[in-house]
Each structure stands twice: as C-alpha cells, then as structure tokens.
C-alpha cells in the first residue's frame, strides 16, 4: 500500500511536565485551528501560544496532520468519558450509537474551521495509515461499541462500527461544505444507524426478548 | 461555512482543440499521479507530458486538487457510459448499486497511488464545496440512481445515494490504508448497500409484486 510521505515517529509524553506541555499544545492548536483552519495556521504560532519551543512541538507532532489528528484524538477521549454508556435502557442500541455520533458531530460543528482541519487531517492520516490515526480510531470504536452494549467485539462488530463511522464522517463533510443542514445531518445519522445497526443489534434483541 | 482557500474559476474547454488539450492533461495527470501520488507529482511535469503550456494547464486546473477531481470526474463519466443500467433484471436494486460501486472501486484500486490522490483531492474539494466537485458528484449520483432504476429522484432518493456514496468512499479509504482487503471491501459494500437501500427499494418492490 502506498505511503504519501515517510512520517517521523512522534514522541510520547511520559512525565507530568511533558503531559502538561502536550495538553497546552493541543489547546493552542484547537484555538488557532478554529480561527485560521489547517492551511493558514502556522506551527510557529502554535508553539508560541502553547509556550513551548518549536522543536518541542515538532517532537510531539511532526506535521500539522499529526497535530490535528491529535486534537481529534483528545476530543474523542473526552467523548468516551462524557458519553453515558449505552444510553437510556429503553433506547434501541442503534439509537444510542446515533446519539453519540450526533453529540460528537454537534460539538465538532461548533467550530467549523477546526472541524474542517480535523477532518482534513484525519483523511490524510487515514490514507497514510499512521499510528496516531489507528489509536484515535480504536478509541472511537470503543465509544461506539459501548453505546451498542458490546463488551467483547468480534470481527463483525468491528466491521459494523467501521461502516457506521465512515458514514458519519461523510455526513459531517456534507454539513461542512453546505450540502445539508445540521438538522438534516442529525436525521441522516439516525437513519443510517437504524438501517445499518438495527437488523443486527435491535431486531435480534427483540426476538430474544 | 468556511472556505479553505479562494479558488480561481477554472476555464471550460469549448472548441475541439481545447477538448483535446483537456483530455491530454487528464491522461497525463492519471499517468503521473499513478506513479508519484498527489504530493510528489509536479504540475510542470503534467504540462510537459500533456504537451501544453503551464499557463494552459493552470487555466483549466488552478490547483492539483482541481486536477485530480477532474481525473475522478472523467473516470465517473466513463463509468456512466460503461455501466449496464439497472443490472440484470433478476438482481435486487441494492445489489445493482453495490456492483456499480464495486466495479468503480476495483478500477480505482488498480492504481492505488492515483486512487489515493483522487480521494485526497475529492475530500479537499468536498470540504471547499467547489464547482468541479458538485459536478462530479451529481454525475456519480446519476449512475447510482440508474442502478436503482429511479428516473425522477426525489429528496429521499438523493439522500440515500448520498449516504451510500459516503459509505463506499470510507470503505475505499480503508482498503488504501491497508485496514481491510479488497475482498472485505467488496463484502462491506454489498452489506451496506443491502442494509441501507434494501428496505426502501427492494423490500417494498417485493410487496408490490
């Protein structure tokens, strides 16, 4: 499979001080990304805003792609602590997944320039198959599997969350480029979740009941 | 909605000579894109390979994004003349759409660097909401609606083909970054098409029969 560019391996923060710097960098990238978008945001300005040396910034995030995938990753981690696992008990599993995706989408769409930057970076990272992307992705899949009330996911479960995630991602792009409204996006996510997940996770559960 | 960069309006080829130059440019971009990918391909080399002045190239395609969306557009147009409308009569409509998507995907995956370049460009163009993108997109929707045997599409039909297209696009990205094999991708496209389109286009048709 092709690699668009050979990426340097980013460093991992280990000490408390390093984690603090890492967090400051992500906050600075969120702020400046929301104001300027991916193309016009400067790595130098991120370092300045975060109060770190430019070399430190590049050690953690070798490129803007890595940086915005990192921001997306941290938003997803926040999501996994904030999301009520499985939703209300009376909710169908497909609906619980739809609500997680809609909440995540609405949060992203509050800052459209940042959302565009994160989706651009995520797309680039997906096509490059990078490590940061794989991590963010498996954290996101865990959130969706929790909403589906699946504890031990098999290949078919992972396949379904992958397909739903890809559909959600496409719906977000349609909002960002003005093809559909946020309300239409919510409706699309609910419909796609119900059609894709209902037969496996809800209709069978009804049969069992 | 944010615009990442203000795009210049590309020129349209009108005379036979202009259309010939336009075609030569697309063929050159396909060849060099397949060899080098989007990042490393040079606009100068495309102009040289196509035998046109660099100014001519930029007049038709102001950026590499425009150029690879143009290549994608021309592949889709080829698809719409090549695809058997509606598939075999005994095939379900969802299956007919899946086969069109699988054929298009396999054709793209024959040249993975070019496919990556086209998907990168398409993603960028989607997020910028450009005119070239909208055209390529509506041509693609027409091919899918033909496979669904829908002559006059209403909003719900357009919504369904948009969702299926987004899912297919995500599946292609998963193949290109090595997460799934081509065979798994084919199976995912068949499953997603059946789940998303079956209830509206096939199950109801059965009821009518």
């Amino acid at each position: 499979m092709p690699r668009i560019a050979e990426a340097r391996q980013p460093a991992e923060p280990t000490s408390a001080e390093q984690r603090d710097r890492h967090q400051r960098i992500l906050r600075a990238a969120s702020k400046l990304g929301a104001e300027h978008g991916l193309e016009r945001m400067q790595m130098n300005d991120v370092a300045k805003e975060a109060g770190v040396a430019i070399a430190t910034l590049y050690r953690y995030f070798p490129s803007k792609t890595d940086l915005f995938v990192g921001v997306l990753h941290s938003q997803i981690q926040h999501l996994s602590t904030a999301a009520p696992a499985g939703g209300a008990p009376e909710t169908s599993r497909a609906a619980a997944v739809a609500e997680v995706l809609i909440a995540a989408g609405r949060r992203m769409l509050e800052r459209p320039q940042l959302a565009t930057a994160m989706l651009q970076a995520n797309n680039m990272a997906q096509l490059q198959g990078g490590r940061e992307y794989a991590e963010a992705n498996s954290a996101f899949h865990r959130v969706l599997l929790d909403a589906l009330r699946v504890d031990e996911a098999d290949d078919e479960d992972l396949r379904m969350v992958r397909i739903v995630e890809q559909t959600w991602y496409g719906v977000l792009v349609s909002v960002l480029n003005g093809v559909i409204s946020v309300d239409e996006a919510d409706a699309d996510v609910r419909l796609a979740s119900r059609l894709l997940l209902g037969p496996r996770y809800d209709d069978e559960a009804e049969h069992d009941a």
Side-chain angles (χ1 to χ4, degrees), chain A:
Chain A
M1 285 299 110
R3 289 189 148 258
I4 291 149
E6 288 302 323
R8 275 173 282 169
Q9 276 304 315
E12 283 286 346
T14 46
S15 71
E17 197 191 340
Q18 285 172 346
R19 276 195 295 273
D20 180 59
R21 273 203 293 267
H22 199 257
Q23 280 305 314
R24 289 208 310 274
I25 291 170
L26 292 175
R27 272 198 301 273
S30 297
K31 178 170 180 272
L32 298 176
E35 288 168 14
H36 305 296
L38 185 143
E39 306 290 340
R40 281 180 295 125
M41 193 199 72
Q42 299 297 324
M43 290 294 260
N44 266 319
D45 294 335
V46 175
K48 204 180 290 176
E49 174 80 26
V52 303
I54 185 78
T56 305
L57 172 57
Y58 276 112
R59 198 159 60 240
Y60 291 124
F61 301 103
S63 70
K64 285 192 206 175
T65 299
D66 293 301
L67 184 51
F68 282 111
V69 171
V71 175
L72 181 62
H73 191 174
S74 79
Q75 287 206 0
I76 286 167
Q77 282 184 321
H78 179 264
L79 196 72
S80 62
T81 52
E90 69 276 16
T91 313
S92 76
R93 296 175 190 212
V97 168
E99 294 316 310
V100 168
L101 293 172
I102 286 169
R106 283 195 174 258
R107 180 149 182 260
M108 284 174 71
L109 294 170
E110 281 169 16
R111 293 186 284 180
Q113 293 241 67
L114 179 60
T116 300
M118 291 192 297
L119 292 181
Q120 274 182 285
N122 190 51
N123 185 67
M124 205 70 87
Q126 277 191 311
L127 287 167
Q128 292 171 9
R131 182 198 63 115
E132 271 279 336
Y133 163 70
E135 277 180 21
N137 215 37
S138 81
F140 194 43
H141 289 173
R142 190 61 256 158
V143 174
L144 299 182
L145 290 166
D146 285 347
L148 277 175
R149 296 173 229 160
V150 170
D151 289 333
E152 297 201 15
D154 62 20
D155 286 351
E156 194 65 16
D157 295 321
L158 292 174
R159 181 186 185 198
M160 294 315 304
V161 296
R162 194 180 65 233
I163 293 174
V164 168
E165 181 210 349
Q166 286 158 349
T167 306
W168 170 72
Y169 168 89
V171 169
L172 281 185
V173 170
S174 296
V175 179
L176 286 166
N177 68 22
V179 170
I180 58 174
S181 69
V182 174
D183 287 343
E184 287 171 317
D186 291 354
D188 281 3
V189 169
R190 287 199 184 93
L191 175 67
S193 299
R194 180 165 56 76
L195 291 172
L196 290 169
L197 302 173
R200 180 174 165 86
Y201 297 98
D202 293 312
D203 305 350
E204 285 200 12
E206 277 168 32
H207 295 170
D208 293 346

